């Protein structure tokens, strides 16, 4: 087998390497798996992580993707008690909108609620309130176009949600550590006479129960592209070849000849096959066991922490499965 197991991208189909029999030819071996597995962090920004997972099959890669999406817990608003809502938004729509506001609270500091009918406690819940009323600023003004000059509280944002500590929570947390991640999420537009009097209760949950509990905006992976030039491509053909790929993939040298600068960020669109004069000049492939992961966190947990928590969930599931097999 070749050093890199490749999948070739022809114009209309995928083709395996002649010496690579694919996943059907690979028997599971734990020691070999440990030797081949690599995690390489490529880019780490505030809430976004890009890393490579090398030496695994698609089932393992997809397992981590699904765990990060749906089984790593977070805190989200679950109960909404509406005492007064005179806005134009129906109670059900308002409650759903409030539930989707991401919270900064660290879920590792809280327990799962044992019974949803139990009263909230400092260990399993967070309480918030939203009390606002829209009023006219100056009845005598002739202003008719600028809402900021005409009304007070005409736009209600997530930053107006206030935390109400339960028990001794004020000694453990701060409002900035448990409140909404973003203060500028628009909840409602209001006019004089419109009012909110709402209590909100957040609990710990997982994304497989409801998407609001997912700690990530998205988790995705793709196979590492590999591009090989079969012959020199110069002049206008080189510039045409460059336009067939994502920016930064193909560059043109001083001698007007095209070369592969960085195949990593190619979208593998196969546009090059549209032009007969350069279709044979390039071989497109993807490395079958090299996955490029992108994790975008909402902010309650850092993306690297989300991956570690996913690994902990997997470890717990494996232990439960082994206990079932052993009959414990």
């Amino acid at each position: 087998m070749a050093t890199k197991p490749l999948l070739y991208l022809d114009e209309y189909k995928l083709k395996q390497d002649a010496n690579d029999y694919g996943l059907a030819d690979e028997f599971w071996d734990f020691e070999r798996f440990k030797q081949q597995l690599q995690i390489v962090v490529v880019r780490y920004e505030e809430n976004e992580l890009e890393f490579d997972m090398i030496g695994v099959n698609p089932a393992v890669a997809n397992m981590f993707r699904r765990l990060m999406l749906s089984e790593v817990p977070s805190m989200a608003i679950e109960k909404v008690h509406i005492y007064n809502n005179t806005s134009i938004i129906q109670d059900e729509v308002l409650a759903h909108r409030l539930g989707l506001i991401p919270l900064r609270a660290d879920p590792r500091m809280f327990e799962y609620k044992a019974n949803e009918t139990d009263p909230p406690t400092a260990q399993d819940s967070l309480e918030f309130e939203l009390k606002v009323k829209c009023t006219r600023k100056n009845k005598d003004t002739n202003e008719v176009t600028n809402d900021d000059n005409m009304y007070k509280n005409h736009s209600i944002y997530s930053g107006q949600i206030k935390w109400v500590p339960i028990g001794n929570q004020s000694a453990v947390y701060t409002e900035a550590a448990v409140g909404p991640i973003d203060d500028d999420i628009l909840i409602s537009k209001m006019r004089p006479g419109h009012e909110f009097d709402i209590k909100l209760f957040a609990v710990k949950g997982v994304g497989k129960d409801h998407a609001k509990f997912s700690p990530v905006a998205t988790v995705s992976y793709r196979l590492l592209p590999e591009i090989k030039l079969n012959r020199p491509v110069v002049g206008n053909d080189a510039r045409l070849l460059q336009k067939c790929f994502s920016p930064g993939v193909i560059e043109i040298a001083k001698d007007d000849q095209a070369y592969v600068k960085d195949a990593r960020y190619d979208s593998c669109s196969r546009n090059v096959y549209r032009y007969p004069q350069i279709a044979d000049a390039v071989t497109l492939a993807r490395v079958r066991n090299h996955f490029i992961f992108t994790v975008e966190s909402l902010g309650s947990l850092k993306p690297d922490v989300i991956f570690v928590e996913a690994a902990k969930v997997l470890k717990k599931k494996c232990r439960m499965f082994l206990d079932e097999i052993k009959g414990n």
Side-chain angles (χ1 to χ4, degrees):
M1 182 181 292
T3 304
K4 293 182 180 180
L6 299 177
L7 289 170
Y8 293 99
L9 282 71
D10 287 349
E11 186 173 3
Y12 298 111
K13 63 181 181 180
L14 294 175
K15 184 175 66 176
Q16 286 189 193
D17 189 282
N19 297 315
D20 180 15
Y21 294 95
L23 299 174
D25 194 47
E26 294 182 359
F27 295 99
W28 173 259
D29 182 87
F30 183 63
E31 293 301 323
R32 185 181 64 184
F33 174 78
K34 288 198 299 183
Q35 293 174 1
Q36 292 181 348
L37 176 63
Q38 297 180 54
I39 304 292
V40 181
V41 176
V42 176
R43 178 172 55 88
Y44 191 0
E45 298 174 359
E46 183 179 1
N47 286 322
E48 188 171 343
L49 172 67
E50 181 182 322
F51 67 90
D52 291 359
M53 184 179 290
I54 307 168
V56 300
N57 61 40
V60 175
N62 192 51
M63 171 184 64
F64 278 103
R65 182 190 69 87
R66 294 186 61 169
L67 286 171
M68 286 187 276
L69 277 170
S70 61
E71 303 223 25
V72 175
S74 71
M75 300 291 289
I77 293 168
E78 176 73 1
K79 298 290 184 182
V80 178
H81 296 178
I82 300 177
Y83 299 100
N84 192 10
N85 172 24
T86 55
S87 72
I88 62 172
I89 300 180
Q90 300 93 331
D91 290 353
E92 297 84 356
V93 177
L94 178 61
H96 183 262
R97 182 174 292 188
L98 291 168
L100 293 175
I101 295 174
L103 302 178
R104 196 175 294 277
D106 189 337
R108 296 171 295 180
M109 304 293 291
F110 295 87
E111 300 173 359
Y112 287 102
K113 202 171 180 64
N115 192 329
E116 64 177 20
T117 59
D118 292 342
T121 67
Q123 290 73 38
D124 60 25
S125 300
L126 287 168
E127 182 179 343
F128 301 90
E129 67 176 10
L130 180 60
K131 287 187 177 182
V132 287
K133 184 176 182 179
C134 180
T135 56
R136 191 178 294 275
K137 283 187 175 181
N138 188 353
K139 296 181 180 180
D140 300 327
T141 183
N142 294 322
E143 179 68 65
V144 294
T145 58
N146 192 324
D147 291 343
D148 291 331
N149 293 335
M150 296 169 60
Y151 311 120
K152 181 181 180 181
N153 292 327
H154 63 88
S155 295
I156 308 304
Y157 294 96
S158 54
Q160 294 172 264
I161 297 175
K162 302 302 179 184
W163 174 49
V164 180
I166 302 173
N168 67 338
Q169 285 184 341
S170 58
V172 181
Y173 313 108
T174 63
E175 185 162 6
V178 298
I181 293 173
D182 298 303
D183 293 336
D184 58 352
I185 300 175
L186 181 64
I187 297 173
S188 174
K189 288 281 192 178
M190 302 180 83
R191 287 296 180 265
H194 291 179
E195 183 178 358
F196 284 153
D197 186 359
I198 305 171
K199 281 190 176 182
L200 310 98
F201 297 91
V203 298
K204 185 176 179 178
V206 292
K208 67 180 180 181
D209 292 333
H210 195 287
K212 67 184 178 183
F213 288 113
S214 181
V216 295
T218 184
V219 178
S220 63
Y221 65 79
R222 58 191 179 91
L223 292 174
L224 177 71
E226 185 164 290
I227 301 171
K228 178 185 176 184
L229 295 183
N230 302 323
R231 59 177 175 83
V233 182
V234 297
N236 291 333
D237 286 348
R239 284 178 280 278
L240 179 60
L241 181 68
Q242 185 182 36
K243 292 180 180 179
C244 290
F245 294 90
S246 303
V249 175
I250 300 294
E251 294 293 341
I252 300 175
K254 294 181 180 179
D255 59 357
D256 214 22
Q257 180 172 320
Y259 68 95
V260 180
K261 182 180 180 182
D262 188 1
R264 179 183 183 86
Y265 296 107
D266 178 47
S267 62
C268 294
S269 65
R270 293 188 267 195
N271 281 340
V272 66
Y273 292 123
R274 297 169 56 193
Y275 305 100
Q277 66 270 35
I278 56 173
D280 64 334
V282 63
T283 299
L284 303 181
R286 289 199 173 193
V287 183
R288 182 168 57 78
N289 65 350
H290 190 137
F291 297 87
I292 301 172
F293 269 82
T294 302
V295 182
E296 296 181 25
S297 169
L298 288 174
S300 61
L301 295 174
K302 292 297 182 183
D304 59 323
V305 175
I306 293 173
F307 180 79
V308 172
E309 291 298 310
K312 291 180 181 178
V313 173
L314 175 62
K315 188 176 181 180
K316 183 178 179 181
K317 285 177 175 288
C318 290
R319 284 179 174 170
M320 291 175 61
F321 183 63
L322 289 173
D323 289 342
E324 287 290 331
I325 293 175
K326 295 175 182 178
N328 296 335

